[in-house]
Amino acid sequence: MLIGELARQTGCEVETIRYYEREGLLSAPQRSSSGYRRYTAEQLGELNFILHCRSLGMSLADIRNLAAFKADHDHDCEDINLLIDQQIAKVHQQVEALRLLEQQLLALRDKCHESHAAADCGILQTLVEAAEGAPCVCHTPFGQDNHGHSQDYDHTAKKNGRSNKDRP
Amino acid sequence: MLIGELARQTGCEVETIRYYEREGLLSAPQRSSSGYRRYTAEQLGELNFILHCRSLGMSLADIRNLAAFKADHDHDCEDINLLIDQQIAKVHQQVEALRLLEQQLLALRDKCHESHAAADCGILQTLVEAAEGAPCVCHTPFGQDNHGHSQDYDHTAKKNGRSNKDRP
DNA sequence: CTTGACCCTGTAGTGACTACAGGGTGTGCA
DNA sequence: TGCACACCCTGTAGTCACTACAGGGTCAAG
Ligand SMILES: [Zn+2]
Ligand SMILES: [Zn+2]
Ligand SMILES: [Zn+2]
Ligand SMILES: [Zn+2]
């Protein structure tokens, strides 16, 4: 099977397959005399495994780990569970963050109903005033006194909690 | 005000401020004789505006547009509403996609309860069998006959209805 | 013998930053 | 005066998971 056929069977693009090989996720296939990649059913399974994991939102690093666990049959599956649990936690946090975001955007959207000049637009006014330190519908949940607003939408929280001196 | 002070007041990192200037989001400040950037209260507001919009999940391109609308006072605010509505739609789609993802991960997690060898792990078995074409708990919602599974987790959907990488 | 579909490698681009390298500037203290 | 040290500058390259070429080679059909 050539790469184009594998791409057709998996729904994965040719360049992505080559990328996975470069990244060491997909084992390097045999080559024809002219250098064409020749795939077997085994590699079809390998690629489907990767695509399945990707569809569950796993990073390529996670998938590499998972593939290593898969190869090491006697290894305890505790690490697999940990990986899945971390993935669940990550996704859950993202859901929560995005739900909050949606509420904030809806509150902001509610500031403008009918068409008018930008200078009078409640949305723009809210954004400009918030930039000057005023409380805003989007980041002031419910009649909350909000001094020093600019520190409140903690954009550093998105990274990992604290920002300044963290080194990965 | 030098760049470090602006960073302290906004909670934005120095390199990010320079990045915003390079990207044309923040107007270029005056320079001291030695080339140091000197910021005024106006630019503090500009930066807070950007950070506020970023905290609402807007892209830098959206923020650039919004800033242009802000400058053009007589422009109709219809475009602003459109931008916000699109942002809401985008976030909503992400929430839905991630909620589905969470359910899929929980279903998969449910395949393993107690610690055992990787070879016997229900999670790994599910993933391997799914790669071979079998239906899987994560992508077969409810006793559904699922032939040709590999086409089902439509990885192309990520292009339009983006999955999880947007909000790290 | 040409057309066109397919294959190869290698490089560069995406978004929104982050992390240096390698240098210059300004202030306080002995 | 010398020096430490905090801060500033530019420019480049890295992150992640691809995607998009450029510029070439291979192969079967007509
Ligand atoms: Zn309006
Ligand atoms: Zn707000
Ligand atoms: Zn298990
Ligand atoms: Zn599945």
Side-chain angles (χ1 to χ4, degrees), chain B residues 28-88:
Chain B
Q30 296 221 269
R31 299 290 186 120
S32 74
S33 56
S34 53
Y36 287 17
R37 290 172 178 81
R38 299 208 157 277
Y39 294 95
T40 65
E42 203 190 332
Q43 270 130 338
L44 173 65
E46 250 179 80
L47 180 53
N48 274 327
F49 181 86
I50 295 166
L51 294 175
H52 195 176
C53 292
R54 282 295 296 137
S55 83
L56 291 169
M58 290 182 207
S59 67
L60 298 192
D62 283 348
I63 298 170
R64 238 187 307 261
N65 283 336
L66 207 50
F69 295 148
K70 197 175 63 167
D72 184 1
H73 284 237
D74 298 331
H75 193 287
D76 196 280
C77 82
E78 205 180 328
D79 293 343
I80 297 169
N81 293 354
L82 186 64
L83 196 151
I84 302 288
D85 284 340
Q86 282 170 347
Q87 182 66 19
I88 290 169

Side-chain angles (χ1 to χ4, degrees), chain A residues 76-78 80-81, chain B residues 109 111-118 120-124:
Chain A
D76 196 280
C77 82
E78 205 181 327
I80 296 169
N81 292 355
Chain B
R109 181 63 182 84
K111 286 271 143 183
C112 170
H113 299 288
E114 38 200 89
S115 202
H116 44 242
D120 304 323
C121 183
I123 292 176
L124 217 39

Side-chain angles (χ1 to χ4, degrees), chain A residues 88-108:
Chain A
I88 290 169
K90 205 177 76 185
V91 170
H92 189 78
Q93 279 171 14
Q94 283 176 10
V95 169
E96 293 302 301
L98 283 169
R99 283 220 296 217
L100 175 61
L101 200 54
E102 192 180 354
Q103 292 313 305
Q104 291 171 340
L105 282 165
L106 288 169
L108 183 62

Side-chain angles (χ1 to χ4, degrees), chain A residues 48-56, chain B residues 127 130 136 138-139 149 153:
Chain A
N48 274 326
F49 181 86
I50 296 166
L51 294 175
H52 195 176
C53 292
R54 283 295 296 136
S55 83
L56 291 169
Chain B
L127 291 174
C136 52
C138 30
H139 293 85
H149 160 276
Y153 40 85

